[in-house]
């Protein structure tokens, strides 16, 4: 009986091909849009977090228990006393790709014509952690550890202040004693990471010079640790745990962004539901119109002995055929769109800087393949299509043969 119902369902769909094709297109466009949208959102989240890990936070940070990130305090009690020892110890642990001390200080960079507030970062210039900055150099050279008056700045900052490699600038920071110290530095290199907030607001100098400039002796704000993968995070954290230290994971340091995106995802779930509901209404309308057009035929089938459940199954099979065909086309459209955005991306330019310092959006945003999400969307779409077919199927199954034969 099932094979005969398949044949009847296939023939019924072919009677009004335009309507059937339009219904399939609706399913395909709906699913394709959902796949594209979810792949894009996943790409924004993943790329922002990875950019922040790569350029700012690392996978794990060691800080003094009294240190508060937002304040960038240079007071000695808030800094790590032996950052080199901690970094050396962390580097020996399994799963650690690199560990290096870093010093952060708020400051002002000035030229004769303009000035801007920036973050001064003292870095271990020999560490592999800063390979992304080496790769991002677009002019000049990377800093040497013993450079006493050299700095690196982002291309965006250089453009705003009219600076080039070899230019001299004035830097001012409030040191550990609370006094404003000013020095003249030379731009050794210019980098372009593609993260507007980082390229505009960061000035890098050798760690030893930053410590001397800020009068922190050999203290540092934190030790940044990069891991081979996230699997080693808890093991490394356990090995480094100490009562007088903070151990912050990348999740802890990106919590604001993660929570914001999770809150925003509720809106996208609602949008997903609306798109699926629209598709369901189209399918229901298609099948209901088909039932009205075939009332006499269904009356004949009922008079010949076809039961109501068979009519229900036939209409569900019609919906399944349209749904599966539409899902196949939608997957092709959606996955090809995600592939394009994954490799090419969408250039958003300066809009990325609106996100602020806590969200490391690049000037070009890419999508990301999320197979489990795409599979879930496909299954949910198919379920919505079948649910949409229930009312037309129920209506057809309740038709009395005599009434149906009269039309």
């Amino acid at each position: 009986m099932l094979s005969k119902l398949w044949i009847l369902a296939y023939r019924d769909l072919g009677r009004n091909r335009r309507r059937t094709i339009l219904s399939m297109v609706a399913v395909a466009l709906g699913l394709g849009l959902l796949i594209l949208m979810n792949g894009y959102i996943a790409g924004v989240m993943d790329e922002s977090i990875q950019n922040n890990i790569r350029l700012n936070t690392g996978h794990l940070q060691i800080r003094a228990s009294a240190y508060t990130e937002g304040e960038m305090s240079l007071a000695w009690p808030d800094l790590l006393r032996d950052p080199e020892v901690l970094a050396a110890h962390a580097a020996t642990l399994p799963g650690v790709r690199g560990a290096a001390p870093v010093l952060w200080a708020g400051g002002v960079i000035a030229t004769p014509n303009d000035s801007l507030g920036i973050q001064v970062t003292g870095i271990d210039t020999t560490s592999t952690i800063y390979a992304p900055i080496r790769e991002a150099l677009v002019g000049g050279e990377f800093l040497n550890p013993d450079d006493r008056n050299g700095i690196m700045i982002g291309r965006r900052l250089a453009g705003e202040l009219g600076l080039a490699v070899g230019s001299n600038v004035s830097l001012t920071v409030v040191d550990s004693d609370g006094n404003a110290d000013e020095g003249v530095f030379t731009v050794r290199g210019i980098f372009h990471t593609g993260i507007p907030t980082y390229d505009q607001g960061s000035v890098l100098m050798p760690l030893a010079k930053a410590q001397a400039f800020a009068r922190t002796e050999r203290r540092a704000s934190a030790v940044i640790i990069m891991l081979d993968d996230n699997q080693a995070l808890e093991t490394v954290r356990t090995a480094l745990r100490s009562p007088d230290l903070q151990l912050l994971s990348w999740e802890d340091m990106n919590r604001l962004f993660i929570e914001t995106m999770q809150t925003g995802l509720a809106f996208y779930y609602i949008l997903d539901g609306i798109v699926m509901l629209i598709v369901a209404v189209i399918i229901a309308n298609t099948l209901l119109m088909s039932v009205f057009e075939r009332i006499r035929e269904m009356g004949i089938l009922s008079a010949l002995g076809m039961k109501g459940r068979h009519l229900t199954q036939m209409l569900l099979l019609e919906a399944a055929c349209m749904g599966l065909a539409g899902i196949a086309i939608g997957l092709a459209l959606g996955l090809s769109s995600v592939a394009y955005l994954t490799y090419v991306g969408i250039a958003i330019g300066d809009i990325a800087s609106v996100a602020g310092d806590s969200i490391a959006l690049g000037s070009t945003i890419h999508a990301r393949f999320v197979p489990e999400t795409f599979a879930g969307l496909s299954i949910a779409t198919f379920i919505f299509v079948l649910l949409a077919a229930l009312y037309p199927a129920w209506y057809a199954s309740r038709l009395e043969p005599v009434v149906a034969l009269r039309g």
Side-chain angles (χ1 to χ4, degrees), residues 245-260:
L245 297 176
Q246 295 183 66
L247 292 168
L248 302 177
S249 70
W250 63 270
E251 291 176 315
D252 298 327
M253 292 177 282
N254 291 281
R255 189 169 302 281
L256 175 61
F257 171 69
I258 293 173
E259 290 178 352
T260 301

Side-chain angles (χ1 to χ4, degrees), residues 123-168:
I123 64 172
D124 179 359
T125 59
T126 63
S127 175
T128 57
I129 287 178
Y130 299 102
I133 303 298
R134 290 181 181 273
E135 296 167 1
L137 277 178
V138 293
E141 58 185 14
F142 200 75
L143 295 169
N144 294 316
D146 56 351
D147 194 334
R148 306 304 295 174
N149 64 347
I151 59 172
M152 292 193 304
I153 62 175
R155 188 169 70 181
R156 186 181 176 88
L157 179 60
E160 289 200 16
L161 296 179
L163 301 175
V165 174
S167 298
N168 291 326

Side-chain angles (χ1 to χ4, degrees), residues 225-243:
I225 301 172
M226 295 293 291
L227 305 176
D228 293 324
D229 56 65
N230 283 327
Q231 302 297 324
L233 181 60
E234 289 305 319
T235 303
V236 174
R237 177 187 269 182
T238 301
L240 295 172
R241 187 166 285 123
S242 175

Side-chain angles (χ1 to χ4, degrees), residues 104-115:
W104 296 304
V108 175
I109 185 171
T111 65
N113 300 317
D114 204 356
S115 63

